Amino acid sequence: MGASSFSTIRFSVEEGGLGTLDIDNLRLYDNPEVFNLEKDFNGADKGSRPEDGWTYSDKGSAGVAPVPFAEDQRLAFTTVSADKAAEGIRRFSSISGKLTVDAKVKANSTGWVTAPAVIDEKERVAAKVAMCRNSFFISNGDNWAYICNQELPHNYYPAGNWYQVKLVLDTKANRYDFYIDGSKRYGGAAFTADIDAVNGLQFAANDPNALYVDNIKVYDSDSLARGLMPENEVYNVKDFGAKGDGVTDDTEAIRQAVEAAAYRGGTVVLENGVFYTGQIILYNDMTFFLDVSATILADMNRNVCFVVQSKFLRSPRWAERKSI
């Protein structure tokens, strides 16, 4: 039987049953993922321009495109000549302090596209992401930071592929961090202007090109973990030296955080990065919180694993690093 709502949670020990039922840290959430903006384009008519909060330039072409297929559509900005750049701005409720912008983007070719720029009500740019010539660029004050080669030697991002871009901004500090496909690629970039609050995203195909956009999300926090973690002491693994860059071995930093949180109700937090790690042993009375912005990359070298003695087996067994 289905139910549209409920108001009671019941715990019980059956009559005649043996033992004790212990209950602790009971929490109930109706929806922890609260977005200021959450938008995809499935179900929209082909070629149509979404009007809910969008404004478009008169130049170029913008409309819903069945890419890669009819059931999974995107918003496309197509520019044929540089003097007729396709552009769209999506407004959302104004946010000050910390916020996160997340979007899935694809540049069809190597011409310059804006994907996206975060703007205020006067269209001043706080932060801008651009793709050009198989590379990502981001604004850093009055300059551009070249993510490929400069920040990531021998790396590039070919046109024609989808990328999940994320900006974690702080309007009080006028700084932001930049992520590609969950990995932090630049930290502490400066805003291009002194901006107290933002309320818009700008997408554009500035050169002859096609920019596809999908799964746009904005939320007023630097992490969707808001309100979900216990109120006890929180131990962020980055405070113990973890890099979260997907290359550095973060095993020791994570172990130190786990030992600090163990047996005292503490919470170990992994967020905003890819954490390359070996075997981690968890203990009683602690929480290991893996945020949606974090990924664990396991070291599969069995030669550096611990030997774990199990109470239930007659002989030791290897604990593989496939899981924590």
Side-chain angles (χ1 to χ4, degrees), residues 19-62:
T20 302
L21 172 64
D22 296 321
I23 300 172
D24 193 10
N25 293 330
L26 176 62
R27 295 165 182 265
L28 178 65
Y29 302 89
D30 59 348
N31 182 8
E33 294 189 357
V34 179
F35 296 99
N36 293 63
L37 170 63
E38 185 178 17
K39 182 65 178 177
D40 64 32
F41 305 97
N42 297 332
D45 293 335
K46 178 182 176 181
S48 65
R49 286 185 171 187
E51 300 296 338
D52 53 338
W54 287 92
T55 57
Y56 303 91
S57 67
D58 294 331
K59 302 176 181 180
S61 171

Side-chain angles (χ1 to χ4, degrees), residues 247-262:
V247 177
T248 305
D249 189 345
D250 289 328
T251 305
E252 186 57 32
I254 297 174
R255 284 179 189 160
Q256 291 180 16
V258 167
E259 291 175 0

Side-chain angles (χ1 to χ4, degrees), residues 173-188:
N174 272 199
R175 297 278 177 175
Y176 74 99
D177 297 334
F178 175 62
Y179 297 77
I180 303 175
D181 293 337
S183 296
K184 187 175 182 178
R185 295 310 188 193
Y186 200 98

